[in-house]
C-alpha cells in the first residue's frame, strides 16, 4: 500500500490491489449434504413480509441491533404457517424449546458453490400438525418444511438469521454492535443475491461501498477493465471482477462529474477543480475551471458541456478553451444530446434547447417532468405530460401522439438509430412500450417487478433493463417478449448502469453490487 504526498489542491492518492468475488469455483468438497444449487425464502413472499429489518435498534433490548429479520403475514394468518429450508443443508440444531418461552429454533448448515459455509437460523417456531422439526445431523432439501411459525412473545412471526458461526446455538437475536462485523448477514440480501449468483448467466460478482450508486456511468477500457466511481474513489475492476487499482479522490470533495476524456478520465468537483486520471491508473494533471460545477458534465460532439451554479451552461473545446456560454439556464436534472440539438431539462420543468454554437433556440415549460432521447435526424424525442413530440434540429415541435400516463420520477425514454423509441411508464403501471418513428405503438410489455427508473440498453435483438432496486430484465426488441428476469440486492434511491464488455459479459452496477452476467445467456430467449 503506497500513499503519495499531497500536490497543490490535489487529493490523497492510494493504490491497492485486492479481490472482489471472481467466478465461483466448484466447492472444494461436497459436504455432508451436498453443495447449494438453489435458494429461496423460507416463507411465501406474496403473503408475508419482513416487518422488522436486519440491523434495527430495539428499545425492548436496550438499543441492541437486530441480528435477523422478522417475517409476519398479518394478524390471524401468521401462526402455523409452514417454514421451509432456504437451501439444501445439514441440520445442526433442532429444539422445539430452543428459545424457551420464545419457542423453537432450527439451524441448518449450507455449503455454497464458492466454498463458504453459512448457517440459516429459524426462530420462534413450533411443531404444528404435520409440520415437525427435522432431526439433528440429517439432510434437508431446499423448500423442505422444517416447522411452523409459533406463538412467541409478543406475536407470531419468524425470526430468520444468516451467519457464518453458531451451528449449535440459537444465539441472542440482537447484538450490541453492527451484526455484519461479527458474522451475520442481512437475510433478504443474502438470499436475493445468491438467487442471481446461482443463475446460469452469472459469471462473477462483487460489492463496492456506496449503497446509493452508481452516481456516474462506468467507463470501460478496450480490454474490458471497468472503472467505477465509488465512495469518492476511482476503482478499476478486471474482467474477472477483481479490483485492479483504487485512487482516493479526497473525502472532503463533492465530485459532480466523472466521464471519459480524450483517452483518459475526467473528474470534476463542485468547486471547479478538474483533473485527468489515466485509464491505466494514476494522476495526470489538473486545472481550475474558474466556476463551480453543479451537475454531471456531458459530451456533445467534440464539446464538453458543464453547468455552473450561476445558471451558465459552458462549452469547452478539447484544448480546454471556452467555446461558448449560455446564461439563464436552471440547474439541469437531465441533459440529452442529439446530433445537432441539446436538450437541458431543469427546474420548474423548463426545457431549454440549444444549437451546437450555443444559441438558445427555445425555452419551454412542460406540464410535469419530461423525458428526452435523441432522434435520428439530429433532433430530440420529448415526452411531456400529455404528448409525445419530435423536435427537429431547428427546434420545430412535431406532435407524434398522446403520451401515456406515467410516473415522472421513474419513467425512462430511449431511442434507436432507426428512429424507434421505447418508453417505460414508471412505477404507475410499469409498462414498456415500443413506438415507431411516427409515434405508433408497436407493442407493450408489463414489467411488474420494476420499482425505480430503469437504465435501458439496446444490443442486437434485445433490450436490457435494470433499476436501482435490483430488478433486471431482458425483452425482445421486435416482439416485446419478456425473455429473462433476475434480481440482485438494490436499495431505495439507488441507480443502475450496465455495459457489455469485449468478452461478452454484461457488467451491471446497482447500488453497492457489481455483477458480471453472460450476455449470450441473458439474451438467448430474445433472438
Amino acid at each position: 500500500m503506497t500513499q503519495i504526498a499531497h500536490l497543490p489542491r490535489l487529493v490523497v492518492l492510494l493504490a491497492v490491489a485486492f479481490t472482489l468475488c471472481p467466478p465461483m469455483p466448484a466447492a472444494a468438497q461436497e459436504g455432508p449434504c451436498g453443495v447449494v444449487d438453489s435458494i429461496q425464502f423460507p416463507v411465501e413472499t406474496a403473503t408475508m413480509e419482513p416487518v422488522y429489518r436486519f440491523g434495527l435498534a430495539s428499545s425492548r433490548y436496550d438499543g441492541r441491533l437486530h441480528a435477523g429479520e422478522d417475517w409476519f403475514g398479518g394478524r390471524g394468518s401468521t401462526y402455523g404457517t409452514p417454514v421451509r429450508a432456504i437451501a439444501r443443508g445439514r441440520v445442526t440444531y433442532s429444539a422445539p424449546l430452543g428459545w424457551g418461552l420464545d419457542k423453537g429454533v432450527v439451524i441448518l448448515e449450507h455449503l455454497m458453490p464458492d466454498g463458504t459455509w453459512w448457517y440459516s437460523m429459524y426462530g420462534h417456531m413450533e411443531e404444528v400438525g404435520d409440520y415437525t422439526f427435522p432431526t439433528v445431523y440429517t439432510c434437508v432439501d431446499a423448500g423442505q418444511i422444517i416447522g411452523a411459525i409459533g406463538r412467541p412473545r409478543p406475536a407470531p412471526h419468524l425470526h430468520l438469521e444468516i451467519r457464518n458461526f453458531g451451528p449449535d446455538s440459537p444465539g441472542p437475536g440482537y447484538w450490541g454492535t453492527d451484526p455484519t462485523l461479527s458474522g451475520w448477514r442481512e437475510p433478504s440480501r443474502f438470499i436475493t443475491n445468491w438467487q442471481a449468483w446461482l443463475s446460469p448467466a452469472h459469471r462473477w460478482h462483487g460489492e463496492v461501498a456506496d449503497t446509493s450508486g452508481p452516481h456516474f456511468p462506468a467507463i470501460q477500457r478496450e480490454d474490458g477493465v471497468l472503472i467505477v466511481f465509488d465512495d469518492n474513489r476511482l476503482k478499476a475492476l478486471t474482467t474477472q471482477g477483481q479490483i485492479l487499482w483504487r485512487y482516493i479522490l479526497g473525502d472532503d470533495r463533492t465530485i459532480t462529474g466523472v466521464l471519459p476524456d480524450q483517452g483518459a478520465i475526467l473528474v470534476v468537483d463542485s468547486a471547479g477543480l478538474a483533473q485527468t486520471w489515466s485509464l491505466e491508473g494514476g494522476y495526470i494533471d489538473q486545472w481550475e475551471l474558474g466556476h463551480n460545477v453543479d451537475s454531471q458534465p456531458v459530451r456533445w460532439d467534440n464539446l464538453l458541456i458543464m453547468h455552473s451554479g450561476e445558471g451558465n451552461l459552458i462549452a469547452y473545446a478539447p484544448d480546454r478553451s471556452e467555446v461558448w456560454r449560455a446564461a439563464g439556464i436552471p440547474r439541469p436534472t437531465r441533459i440529452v444530446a442529439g446530433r445537432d440539438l441539446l436538450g437541458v431539462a431543469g427546474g420548474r420543468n423548463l426545457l431549454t434547447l440549444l444549437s451546437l454554437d450555443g444559441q438558445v433556440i427555445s425555452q419551454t415549460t412542460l406540464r410535469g417532468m419530461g423525458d428526452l432521447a435523441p432522434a435520428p435526424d439530429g433532433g430530440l424525442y420529448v415526452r411531456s405530460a400529455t404528448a409525445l413530440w419530435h423536435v427537429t434540429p431547428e427546434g420545430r415541435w412535431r406532435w407524434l401522439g398522446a403520451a401515456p400516463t406515467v410516473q415522472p420520477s421513474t419513467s425512462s425514454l430511449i431511442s434507436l438509430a432507426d428512429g424507434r423509441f421505447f418508453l417505460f411508464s414508471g412505477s404507475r403501471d410499469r409498462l414498456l412500450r415500443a413506438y415507431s418513428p411516427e409515434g405508433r405503438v408497436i407493442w407493450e410489455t408489463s414489467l411488474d417487478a420494476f420499482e425505480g427508473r430503469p437504465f435501458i440498453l439496446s444490443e442486437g435483438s434485445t433490450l436490457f433493463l435494470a433499476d436501482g432496486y435490483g430488478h433486471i430484465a431482458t425483452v425482445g426488441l421486435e416482439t416485446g417478449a419478456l425473455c429473462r428476469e433476475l434480481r440482485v440486492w438494490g436499495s431505495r434511491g439507488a441507480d443502475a448502469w450496465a455495459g457489455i464488455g469485449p468478452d461478452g459479459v454484461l457488467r451491471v452496477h446497482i447500488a453497492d453490487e457489481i455483477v458480471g452476467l453472460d450476455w449470450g445467456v441473458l439474451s438467448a430467449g430474445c433472438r
Side-chain angles (χ1 to χ4, degrees):
M1 185 176 294
T2 306
Q3 183 163 315
I4 310 299
H6 282 264
L7 297 175
R9 284 212 61 195
L10 187 54
V11 295
V12 176
L13 178 112
L14 183 67
V16 300
F18 64 98
T19 302
L20 286 181
C21 302
M24 293 182 291
Q29 52 185 310
E30 284 298 312
C33 296
V35 180
V36 168
D37 57 3
S38 68
I39 192 167
Q40 63 182 61
F41 284 89
V43 292
E44 292 292 337
T45 56
T47 57
M48 301 190 71
E49 61 180 341
V51 294
Y52 201 74
R53 292 283 188 175
F54 177 82
L56 292 180
S58 171
S59 57
R60 180 182 175 190
Y61 293 100
D62 301 320
R64 286 184 291 169
L65 305 179
H66 202 208
E69 290 174 343
D70 287 347
W71 285 77
F72 181 68
R75 187 179 299 275
S77 59
T78 300
Y79 174 75
T81 299
V83 177
R84 301 176 185 273
I86 65 167
R88 67 166 56 180
R90 184 177 66 152
V91 182
T92 59
Y93 185 87
S94 182
L97 292 175
W99 261 348
L101 293 176
D102 286 322
K103 306 303 177 180
V105 174
V106 170
I107 301 175
L108 305 180
E109 175 187 71
H110 309 283
L111 174 59
M112 309 307 289
D114 61 0
T116 58
W117 294 87
W118 292 90
Y119 298 94
S120 58
M121 179 276 218
Y122 313 77
H124 305 316
M125 292 205 301
E126 294 181 19
E127 295 182 304
V128 178
D130 294 333
Y131 303 150
T132 58
F133 283 23
T135 303
V136 172
Y137 302 130
T138 60
C139 295
V140 297
D141 293 323
Q144 183 174 326
I145 294 174
I146 56 173
I149 295 178
R151 286 196 179 98
R153 301 168 297 175
H157 65 275
L158 173 68
H159 175 89
L160 174 67
E161 292 184 14
I162 301 292
R163 61 200 195 198
N164 60 13
F165 67 97
D168 54 6
S169 172
Y174 291 82
W175 201 244
T177 57
D178 181 355
T180 61
L181 301 178
S182 298
W184 280 278
R185 293 296 182 267
E186 184 172 3
S188 287
R189 178 178 185 140
F190 183 91
I191 295 170
T192 298
N193 279 337
W194 269 107
Q195 286 177 331
W197 300 342
L198 290 167
S199 159
H202 174 269
R203 292 296 172 266
W204 50 263
H205 62 270
E207 292 183 12
V208 290
D210 190 347
T211 60
S212 64
H215 297 288
F216 312 110
I219 298 170
Q220 291 206 73
R221 292 188 342 198
E222 292 183 356
D223 59 1
V225 168
L226 187 72
I227 300 170
V228 300
F229 173 81
D230 174 54
D231 194 31
N232 265 33
R233 290 152 173 79
L234 289 178
K235 297 178 181 178
L237 282 69
T238 71
T239 55
Q240 298 299 310
Q242 299 169 316
I243 294 280
L244 180 63
W245 48 255
R246 178 182 71 173
Y247 292 95
I248 299 176
L249 299 174
D251 291 331
D252 58 342
R253 302 172 68 195
T254 299
I255 305 300
T256 51
V258 176
L259 69 162
D261 181 62
Q262 303 179 75
I265 306 165
L266 176 66
V267 177
V268 179
D269 69 19
S270 60
L273 175 66
Q275 298 173 329
T276 53
W277 296 78
S278 170
L279 289 168
E280 306 300 325
Y283 164 81
I284 299 176
D285 67 350
Q286 66 182 34
W287 68 100
E288 298 281 355
L289 294 167
H291 60 81
N292 58 21
V293 179
D294 61 9
S295 57
Q296 163 80 339
V298 298
R299 280 280 171 201
W300 187 23
D301 194 37
N302 68 337
L303 299 176
L304 180 64
I305 309 296
M306 300 189 189
H307 188 268
S308 73
E310 293 78 25
N312 296 316
L313 198 68
I314 306 167
Y316 290 94
D319 63 3
R320 302 176 183 175
S321 63
E322 183 176 318
V323 179
W324 51 257
R325 179 178 296 227
I329 298 176
R331 179 179 179 178
T333 55
R334 298 180 212 176
I335 301 180
V336 174
R339 187 188 66 238
D340 304 311
L341 192 66
L342 188 72
V344 182
R348 299 184 179 179
N349 303 317
L350 183 67
L351 175 61
T352 303
L353 301 176
L354 299 97
S355 61
L356 268 171
D357 60 2
Q359 296 300 309
V360 174
I361 297 174
S362 66
Q363 288 189 310
T364 305
T365 300
L366 302 177
R367 289 180 56 190
M369 185 187 304
D371 292 301
L372 309 172
D377 66 344
L380 296 171
Y381 291 123
V382 178
R383 179 206 60 79
S384 68
T386 58
L388 298 172
W389 303 88
H390 169 221
V391 184
T392 69
E394 297 76 30
R396 292 192 296 270
W397 290 65
R398 182 167 69 91
W399 186 81
L400 297 178
T405 302
V406 305
Q407 180 65 41
S409 61
T410 53
S411 61
S412 187
L413 180 70
I414 72 155
S415 58
L416 302 183
D418 64 8
R420 286 179 292 173
F421 57 97
F422 303 84
L423 175 64
F424 178 69
S425 62
S427 55
R428 183 182 180 92
D429 60 11
R430 299 179 171 91
L431 286 176
L432 176 67
R433 293 178 175 90
Y435 291 86
S436 71
E438 298 75 31
R440 176 178 57 86
V441 176
I442 303 171
W443 52 255
E444 66 178 38
T445 294
S446 178
L447 297 173
D448 293 335
F450 278 68
E451 302 172 80
R453 183 193 303 276
F455 174 91
I456 307 178
L457 170 74
S458 169
E459 178 69 22
S461 60
T462 305
L463 285 175
F464 169 87
L465 300 93
D467 70 9
Y469 290 83
H471 303 290
I472 292 172
T474 50
V475 174
L477 194 65
E478 304 299 331
T479 65
L482 184 59
C483 309
R484 186 180 289 271
E485 289 184 284
L486 288 175
R487 190 181 181 193
V488 297
W489 190 251
S491 64
R492 183 181 182 87
D495 286 318
W497 174 90
I500 301 173
D503 53 1
V505 173
L506 181 78
R507 286 91 165 134
V508 183
H509 184 182
I510 297 175
D512 57 351
E513 302 284 342
I514 298 180
V515 60
L517 301 173
D518 188 306
W519 180 248
V521 175
L522 280 179
S523 62
C526 296
R527 295 197 289 266

